[in-house]
């Protein structure tokens, strides 16, 4: 099967780390393809940037000339997943719900460690909407911006561990890494804490494999029925940009298909 992993921001280095984590988690024979939007914010730290990113992700999906069996959306607590479920006829999973669902299989209560404190209410709202907040003991911000996560890997891990300890003290028995930019750090954090640590990218990939393997996909019976045909002005936006992207924005990562186990 082929799984598309979408980094919701335009930072190519973050797409690369997300791709690596997804590939490491995938079963042999699962092809991981990762990319990011053609335009939009370089990182997402608030509602304004989140909604811009959601539109950019939907634009990217609407113009992709590529077949895939499932989509993993690698933004934690960001909007847009429901739109992708309407747009696509393949399963759509996001790392927020996937991480929480997996954590609840491993302990009575879980905690989330994310980036800035301002992201905490956004994540809590997402969990509440998904029906997953009741067993969340704590959502804690590290104080690190999304782009800061890549500046000093050792310091990033130290801050995540210290923040996660506070979540454990609040009752969390499992920790979820609450940002796609934290992908691949779960083993180091788990070794220091002594409790399971769930990486949302890896969890979403495994859930995607399971859903596809069972021959299931999103229900189109009501909530996520395909969009009704109508005129949408200047959509998709990227078709109106020259040369195919917003002026001054970074060129999107080229698709890099990797097969797990090779």
């Amino acid at each position: 099967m082929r799984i598309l992993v979408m980094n919701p921001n335009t930072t190519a280095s973050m797409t690369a780390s997300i791709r690596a984590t997804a590939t490491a988690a995938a079963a042999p024979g699962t092809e991981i393809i990762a990319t990011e939007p053609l335009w939009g914010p370089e990182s997402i730290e608030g509602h304004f940037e989140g909604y811009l990113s959601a539109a950019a992700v939907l634009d990217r999906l609407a113009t992709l000339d590529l077949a895939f069996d499932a989509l993993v959306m690698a933004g934690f607590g960001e909007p847009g997943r429901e739109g992708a479920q309407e747009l696509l006829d393949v399963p759509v999973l996001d790392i927020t719900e996937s991480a929480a669902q997996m954590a609840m299989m491993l302990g009575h209560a879980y905690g989330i460690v994310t980036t800035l404190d301002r992201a905490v209410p956004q994540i809590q709202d997402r969990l509440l909407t998904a029906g997953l907040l009741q067993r969340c003991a704590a959502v804690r911000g590290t104080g690190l911006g999304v782009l800061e996560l890549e500046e000093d890997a050792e310091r990033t891990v130290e801050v995540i561990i210290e923040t996660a300890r506070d979540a454990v003290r609040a009752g969390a028995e499992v920790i979820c890494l609450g940002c796609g930019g934290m992908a691949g750090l779960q083993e180091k954090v788990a070794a220091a804490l002594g409790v399971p640590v769930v990486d949302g990218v890896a969890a979403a990939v495994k859930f995607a494999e399971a859903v596809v393997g069972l021959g299931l996909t999103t229900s189109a019976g009501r909530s996520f029925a395909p969009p009704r045909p109508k005129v949408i002005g200047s959509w998709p936006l990227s078709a109106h940009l020259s040369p195919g992207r917003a002026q001054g924005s970074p060129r999107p990562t080229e698709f890099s298909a990797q097969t797990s186990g090779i």
Side-chain angles (χ1 to χ4, degrees):
M1 74 181 70
R2 175 184 282 179
I3 298 175
L4 175 66
V5 181
M6 180 68 70
N7 173 16
N9 66 46
T10 58
T11 300
S13 59
M14 203 159 287
T15 302
S17 66
I18 289 170
R19 179 192 298 113
T21 296
T23 300
T30 294
E31 187 179 5
I32 296 294
I33 300 174
T35 192
E36 68 269 345
L38 298 170
W39 52 273
E42 63 180 351
S43 65
I44 304 165
E45 294 166 331
H47 295 286
F48 172 71
E49 293 162 352
Y51 284 109
L52 282 179
S53 169
V57 166
L58 292 174
D59 179 275
R60 184 74 162 127
L61 293 171
T63 55
L64 272 178
D65 184 17
L66 175 75
F68 50 92
D69 300 297
L71 170 67
V72 167
M73 299 181 70
F76 209 97
E78 268 112 45
R81 191 210 65 209
E82 296 87 350
Q85 287 178 294
E86 292 184 9
L87 182 67
L88 303 176
D89 59 1
V90 300
V92 178
L93 296 97
D94 80 321
I95 65 174
T96 314
E97 294 186 23
S98 295
Q101 293 279 10
M102 186 163 286
M104 290 192 300
M105 299 177 191
L106 304 175
H108 176 72
Y110 67 94
I112 295 173
V113 176
T114 189
T115 52
L116 301 178
D117 180 68
R118 66 178 294 170
V120 171
Q122 195 169 348
I123 291 173
Q124 290 172 328
D125 285 349
R126 188 73 190 178
L127 295 173
L128 178 63
T129 301
L132 301 170
L133 186 60
Q134 184 175 357
R135 288 175 59 186
C136 181
V139 182
R140 296 288 188 267
T142 59
L144 296 174
V146 173
L147 299 182
E148 289 182 86
L149 297 173
E150 297 185 326
E151 292 179 358
D152 186 335
E154 185 174 338
R155 176 174 177 265
T156 294
V157 171
E158 289 175 355
V159 174
I160 291 173
I161 290 170
E162 185 58 34
T163 306
R165 286 197 174 107
D166 183 58
V168 171
R169 286 191 290 268
E173 300 171 6
V174 183
I175 294 296
C176 299
L177 299 181
C179 178
M182 296 177 180
L185 302 181
Q186 66 273 18
E187 292 184 3
K188 292 180 179 179
V189 178
L193 293 178
V195 301
V197 176
V198 178
D199 178 279
V201 173
V205 166
K206 300 312 289 184
F207 279 132
E209 288 179 330
V211 172
V212 173
L214 290 170
L216 301 172
T217 192
T218 305
S219 171
R222 191 182 187 189
S223 301
F224 304 120
R228 297 183 65 189
K230 65 184 66 176
V231 174
I232 302 177
S234 300
W235 182 262
L237 178 60
S238 58
H240 299 268
L241 302 177
S242 179
R245 61 192 181 98
Q247 184 177 4
S249 65
R251 187 173 299 278
T253 300
E254 296 297 326
F255 285 113
S256 178
Q258 303 181 29
T259 303
S260 178
I262 294 179

